[in-house]
Short mmCIF file of all heavy atoms in Angstrom, two decimals:
data_model
loop_
_atom_site.label_atom_id
_atom_site.label_comp_id
_atom_site.label_asym_id
_atom_site.label_seq_id
_atom_site.Cartn_x
_atom_site.Cartn_y
_atom_site.Cartn_z
N ALA A 66 -24.84 17.53 29.60
CA ALA A 66 -26.03 17.05 30.16
C ALA A 66 -26.76 18.19 30.87
O ALA A 66 -26.05 19.12 31.33
CB ALA A 66 -25.92 15.89 31.04
N ALA A 67 -28.07 18.17 30.83
CA ALA A 67 -28.82 19.24 31.51
C ALA A 67 -30.00 18.74 32.23
O ALA A 67 -30.39 17.55 32.02
CB ALA A 67 -29.27 20.30 30.46
N GLY A 68 -30.55 19.50 33.05
CA GLY A 68 -31.76 19.06 33.81
C GLY A 68 -33.03 19.00 32.99
O GLY A 68 -34.07 18.53 33.42
N SER A 69 -32.89 19.51 31.71
CA SER A 69 -34.07 19.48 30.86
C SER A 69 -33.72 18.85 29.51
O SER A 69 -32.68 18.98 28.95
CB SER A 69 -34.53 20.93 30.55
OG SER A 69 -35.46 21.01 29.46
N TYR A 70 -34.66 18.03 29.08
CA TYR A 70 -34.43 17.39 27.75
C TYR A 70 -34.55 18.38 26.56
O TYR A 70 -34.22 18.03 25.47
CB TYR A 70 -35.52 16.22 27.53
CG TYR A 70 -36.82 16.63 27.43
CD1 TYR A 70 -37.39 16.97 26.09
CD2 TYR A 70 -37.68 16.85 28.52
CE1 TYR A 70 -38.68 17.42 26.02
CE2 TYR A 70 -38.99 17.25 28.38
CZ TYR A 70 -39.50 17.54 27.13
OH TYR A 70 -40.82 17.95 26.94
N LYS A 71 -35.02 19.59 26.84
CA LYS A 71 -35.20 20.55 25.76
C LYS A 71 -33.86 21.27 25.46
O LYS A 71 -33.79 21.98 24.41
CB LYS A 71 -36.25 21.60 26.21
CG LYS A 71 -37.61 20.96 26.35
CD LYS A 71 -38.63 22.00 26.83
CE LYS A 71 -40.03 21.40 26.93
NZ LYS A 71 -41.00 22.37 27.33
N VAL A 72 -32.82 21.24 26.31
CA VAL A 72 -31.61 21.91 26.05
C VAL A 72 -30.78 21.10 25.09
O VAL A 72 -30.58 19.85 25.38
CB VAL A 72 -30.87 22.13 27.42
CG1 VAL A 72 -29.51 22.87 27.13
CG2 VAL A 72 -31.72 22.97 28.36
N SER A 73 -30.31 21.68 24.04
CA SER A 73 -29.48 20.92 23.08
C SER A 73 -28.44 21.86 22.47
O SER A 73 -28.47 23.05 22.67
CB SER A 73 -30.39 20.30 22.00
OG SER A 73 -30.97 21.31 21.21
N GLY A 74 -27.63 21.30 21.61
CA GLY A 74 -26.64 22.11 20.88
C GLY A 74 -25.19 21.75 21.31
O GLY A 74 -24.94 20.97 22.20
N THR A 75 -24.35 22.44 20.62
CA THR A 75 -22.90 22.22 20.89
C THR A 75 -22.24 23.46 21.48
O THR A 75 -22.79 24.58 21.30
CB THR A 75 -22.18 21.88 19.54
OG1 THR A 75 -20.87 21.47 19.81
CG2 THR A 75 -22.21 23.01 18.53
N ALA A 76 -21.21 23.26 22.21
CA ALA A 76 -20.51 24.37 22.95
C ALA A 76 -19.04 24.13 22.83
O ALA A 76 -18.62 22.95 22.84
CB ALA A 76 -21.00 24.57 24.34
N VAL A 77 -18.31 25.24 22.88
CA VAL A 77 -16.85 25.09 23.06
C VAL A 77 -16.45 26.08 24.13
O VAL A 77 -16.85 27.28 24.14
CB VAL A 77 -16.13 25.49 21.72
CG1 VAL A 77 -14.59 25.29 21.89
CG2 VAL A 77 -16.54 24.62 20.56
N LEU A 78 -15.76 25.53 25.09
CA LEU A 78 -15.39 26.32 26.31
C LEU A 78 -13.85 26.54 26.41
O LEU A 78 -13.12 25.72 25.99
CB LEU A 78 -15.87 25.50 27.55
CG LEU A 78 -17.29 24.88 27.42
CD1 LEU A 78 -17.46 23.95 28.61
CD2 LEU A 78 -18.33 26.02 27.34
N TYR A 79 -13.53 27.66 26.99
CA TYR A 79 -12.12 28.06 27.13
C TYR A 79 -11.97 28.88 28.41
O TYR A 79 -12.99 29.44 28.88
CB TYR A 79 -11.57 28.75 25.96
CG TYR A 79 -12.21 30.09 25.63
CD1 TYR A 79 -11.63 31.27 26.11
CD2 TYR A 79 -13.44 30.19 24.99
CE1 TYR A 79 -12.23 32.49 25.88
CE2 TYR A 79 -13.97 31.43 24.69
CZ TYR A 79 -13.40 32.60 25.14
OH TYR A 79 -13.96 33.73 24.91
N LYS A 80 -10.80 29.00 28.92
CA LYS A 80 -10.55 29.70 30.18
C LYS A 80 -9.95 31.14 29.89
O LYS A 80 -10.47 32.06 30.35
CB LYS A 80 -9.62 28.92 31.10
CG LYS A 80 -9.16 29.76 32.31
CD LYS A 80 -10.05 29.50 33.48
CE LYS A 80 -9.41 30.21 34.75
NZ LYS A 80 -10.45 30.77 35.50
N HIS A 81 -8.89 31.12 29.07
CA HIS A 81 -8.11 32.36 28.87
C HIS A 81 -8.48 33.03 27.51
O HIS A 81 -8.69 32.31 26.51
CB HIS A 81 -6.61 31.99 28.92
CG HIS A 81 -6.23 31.28 30.16
ND1 HIS A 81 -6.23 31.89 31.42
CD2 HIS A 81 -5.95 30.00 30.41
CE1 HIS A 81 -5.84 31.07 32.37
NE2 HIS A 81 -5.72 29.90 31.81
N ALA A 82 -8.46 34.29 27.52
CA ALA A 82 -8.75 35.06 26.27
C ALA A 82 -7.96 34.59 25.09
O ALA A 82 -8.48 34.55 23.93
CB ALA A 82 -8.58 36.54 26.54
N PHE A 83 -6.71 34.25 25.26
CA PHE A 83 -5.87 33.81 24.11
C PHE A 83 -6.34 32.48 23.45
O PHE A 83 -5.85 32.14 22.47
CB PHE A 83 -4.40 33.76 24.50
CG PHE A 83 -4.03 32.81 25.62
CD1 PHE A 83 -3.89 31.53 25.45
CD2 PHE A 83 -3.74 33.37 26.90
CE1 PHE A 83 -3.63 30.69 26.54
CE2 PHE A 83 -3.42 32.58 27.95
CZ PHE A 83 -3.32 31.21 27.71
N ASP A 84 -7.24 31.80 24.14
CA ASP A 84 -7.80 30.53 23.54
C ASP A 84 -9.12 30.83 22.85
O ASP A 84 -9.68 29.82 22.22
CB ASP A 84 -8.09 29.51 24.69
CG ASP A 84 -6.74 29.10 25.34
OD1 ASP A 84 -5.79 28.88 24.71
OD2 ASP A 84 -6.83 28.85 26.56
N ARG A 85 -9.64 32.01 22.85
CA ARG A 85 -10.88 32.29 22.17
C ARG A 85 -10.87 31.99 20.71
O ARG A 85 -11.84 31.44 20.13
CB ARG A 85 -11.35 33.75 22.44
CG ARG A 85 -12.74 34.04 21.94
CD ARG A 85 -13.16 35.44 22.23
NE ARG A 85 -14.59 35.67 21.95
CZ ARG A 85 -15.09 35.87 20.74
NH1 ARG A 85 -14.26 35.87 19.72
NH2 ARG A 85 -16.35 35.96 20.56
N ASP A 86 -9.83 32.40 20.01
CA ASP A 86 -9.78 32.19 18.54
C ASP A 86 -9.89 30.63 18.22
O ASP A 86 -10.62 30.30 17.27
CB ASP A 86 -8.50 32.71 17.96
CG ASP A 86 -8.52 34.25 17.88
OD1 ASP A 86 -9.61 34.88 18.09
OD2 ASP A 86 -7.45 34.84 17.65
N LEU A 87 -9.23 29.86 18.95
CA LEU A 87 -9.26 28.39 18.81
C LEU A 87 -10.65 27.97 19.00
O LEU A 87 -11.19 27.16 18.22
CB LEU A 87 -8.30 27.73 19.73
CG LEU A 87 -8.37 26.19 19.82
CD1 LEU A 87 -8.12 25.60 18.38
CD2 LEU A 87 -7.35 25.59 20.78
N ALA A 88 -11.32 28.36 20.02
CA ALA A 88 -12.65 27.97 20.39
C ALA A 88 -13.65 28.41 19.24
O ALA A 88 -14.52 27.62 18.86
CB ALA A 88 -13.12 28.57 21.71
N MET A 89 -13.49 29.59 18.78
CA MET A 89 -14.34 30.07 17.71
C MET A 89 -14.14 29.25 16.35
O MET A 89 -15.13 28.92 15.69
CB MET A 89 -14.13 31.55 17.44
CG MET A 89 -14.56 32.48 18.50
SD MET A 89 -16.32 32.37 18.88
CE MET A 89 -16.98 32.94 17.34
N CYS A 90 -12.97 28.95 16.07
CA CYS A 90 -12.64 28.12 14.87
C CYS A 90 -13.40 26.79 14.98
O CYS A 90 -14.02 26.35 13.95
CB CYS A 90 -11.14 27.92 14.68
SG CYS A 90 -10.32 29.38 14.13
N VAL A 91 -13.30 26.10 16.04
CA VAL A 91 -13.88 24.83 16.25
C VAL A 91 -15.42 24.96 16.28
O VAL A 91 -16.15 24.20 15.56
CB VAL A 91 -13.34 24.07 17.43
CG1 VAL A 91 -14.09 22.79 17.71
CG2 VAL A 91 -11.85 23.82 17.28
N ALA A 92 -15.91 25.90 16.96
CA ALA A 92 -17.35 26.09 17.06
C ALA A 92 -17.97 26.41 15.69
O ALA A 92 -19.01 25.89 15.36
CB ALA A 92 -17.70 27.25 18.02
N ARG A 93 -17.32 27.21 14.84
CA ARG A 93 -17.86 27.53 13.53
C ARG A 93 -17.99 26.26 12.69
O ARG A 93 -18.85 26.14 11.89
CB ARG A 93 -16.92 28.56 12.82
CG ARG A 93 -17.21 30.02 13.24
CD ARG A 93 -16.52 30.94 12.29
NE ARG A 93 -15.13 31.03 12.35
CZ ARG A 93 -14.48 31.76 13.23
NH1 ARG A 93 -15.15 32.61 14.05
NH2 ARG A 93 -13.15 31.80 13.33
N ARG A 94 -17.01 25.38 12.93
CA ARG A 94 -17.10 24.11 12.12
C ARG A 94 -18.14 23.21 12.68
O ARG A 94 -18.84 22.47 11.93
CB ARG A 94 -15.74 23.49 12.10
CG ARG A 94 -14.75 24.19 11.25
CD ARG A 94 -15.12 24.21 9.79
NE ARG A 94 -14.05 24.79 9.01
CZ ARG A 94 -13.84 24.38 7.71
NH1 ARG A 94 -14.66 23.57 7.13
NH2 ARG A 94 -12.92 24.95 6.99
N LEU A 95 -18.26 23.12 13.96
CA LEU A 95 -19.21 22.11 14.53
C LEU A 95 -20.66 22.42 14.16
O LEU A 95 -21.46 21.53 13.92
CB LEU A 95 -19.11 22.12 16.05
CG LEU A 95 -17.93 21.35 16.56
CD1 LEU A 95 -17.70 21.64 18.14
CD2 LEU A 95 -18.04 19.88 16.36
#
Side-chain angles (χ1 to χ4, degrees):
S69 169
Y70 68 89
K71 295 179 181 181
V72 179
S73 67
T75 190
V77 182
L78 315 171
Y79 64 96
K80 171 93 175 142
H81 307 286
F83 57 79
D84 293 324
R85 185 177 191 282
D86 288 346
L87 173 58
M89 290 300 297
C90 286
V91 173
R93 277 194 289 272
R94 290 298 188 148
L95 284 170

